[in-house]
Amino acid sequence: MVKYCAAYNCSNADTKLNRKQGITFHRFPKDNKKKQQWAQAVHRADPVSGKLWTPSEWDMICSQHFNPDCFKEINGKKFLKEGSCPSIFSFPDNFQKKDNSLRRSAKNSKWAGTFLENPPLTADPTEVYVTTDHHYHITDSPKTLKRKLDELLAENHKLRRKLRNASDQEERFHKNMEILLDKLHSKDMLSWEIT
């Protein structure tokens, strides 16, 4: 699975070309306080609630969002120094203000891939400044996605079987109706003009 940078307006992916250019990818810290600090720096909003986005264990930030002095080099490889935090972003000049009454379900959400402007430690749920980005960003684990896909495929299979059964039932009904009409005509119980 290709890794993408979670920062706004960044389309960097962990590819051979980017690695040759010296771009590295760094997971969000496991420590909750540091993870919260990085999430605030990214200014992303959760696609469902509109509150401050919480990164998963698979989310990453590329090296272009860190100052050069945040890195140390060991044996020709770049590593983040302890306590480093991403700080270089290209946020848009204008934001649209949205309120909670406009929130939609995650299925048809306009909140997917949004970010917060100057988010507090606990984002105020009544005011969120957003812009769309990262519509491809996935917060679920691969196992969860696989389980959801399997459930959808099973549901699809059931619905196709129901449709096939309904179609077969309709065909049988039409055949039985034709047989019944033929019997009624043969016994002169029904004229051809009526049918």
Side-chain angles (χ1 to χ4, degrees):
M1 189 164 86
V2 179
K3 303 170 197 168
Y4 291 95
C5 181
Y8 173 78
N9 206 21
C10 182
S11 58
N12 285 337
D14 189 11
T15 60
K16 288 181 182 180
L17 178 64
N18 281 341
R19 277 184 256 141
K20 282 183 182 178
Q21 293 175 353
I23 298 173
T24 56
F25 285 78
H26 307 276
R27 291 190 190 276
F28 279 74
K30 290 183 180 181
D31 177 64
N32 285 335
K33 188 175 180 181
K34 290 178 184 175
K35 184 189 282 189
Q36 179 80 5
Q37 186 181 14
W38 280 35
Q40 278 196 252
V42 172
H43 296 297
R44 298 256 324 259
D46 183 86
V48 177
S49 69
K51 295 181 181 180
L52 185 62
W53 169 70
T54 304
S56 74
E57 62 182 286
W58 297 277
D59 289 313
M60 299 190 155
I61 298 284
C62 76
S63 56
Q64 291 189 329
H65 303 289
F66 294 90
N67 287 318
D69 60 345
C70 290
F71 294 97
K72 60 185 174 187
E73 197 168 314
I74 301 173
N75 296 330
K77 291 186 179 183
K78 280 201 297 190
F79 293 94
L80 279 175
K81 291 180 183 175
E82 186 68 30
S84 297
C85 186
S87 59
I88 302 170
F89 299 99
S90 59
F91 297 123
D93 295 332
N94 57 342
F95 300 98
Q96 291 179 320
K97 189 174 180 180
K98 307 280 183 185
D99 68 26
N100 279 346
S101 63
L102 299 177
R103 294 223 168 89
R104 298 176 179 205
S105 69
K107 191 175 186 179
N108 60 353
S109 177
K110 286 186 177 179
W111 294 88
T114 58
F115 75 91
L116 299 171
E117 179 184 22
N118 302 322
L121 278 171
T122 53
D124 180 6
T126 59
E127 285 189 9
V128 181
Y129 295 84
V130 298
T131 186
T132 58
D133 185 38
H134 282 282
H135 58 278
Y136 57 83
H137 182 74
I138 299 171
T139 57
D140 290 332
S141 72
K143 285 182 181 180
T144 303
L145 291 173
K146 174 74 168 106
R147 182 183 47 78
K148 287 180 181 179
L149 177 62
D150 289 343
E151 288 171 0
L152 289 172
L153 289 172
E155 182 68 20
N156 184 5
H157 180 71
K158 285 180 189 175
L159 291 172
R160 284 180 182 271
R161 194 169 2 135
K162 277 186 176 181
L163 180 62
R164 189 175 53 246
N165 290 342
S167 182
D168 291 346
Q169 188 177 12
E170 182 183 12
E171 194 175 317
R172 284 191 305 272
F173 172 76
H174 284 290
K175 283 182 182 177
N176 288 338
M177 193 66 153
E178 285 177 19
I179 292 169
L180 180 61
L181 288 172
D182 285 344
K183 283 182 180 178
L184 289 173
H185 285 298
S186 67
K187 294 182 179 180
D188 289 328
M189 296 177 80
L190 186 65
S191 69
W192 288 103
E193 294 169 358
I194 295 175
T195 57

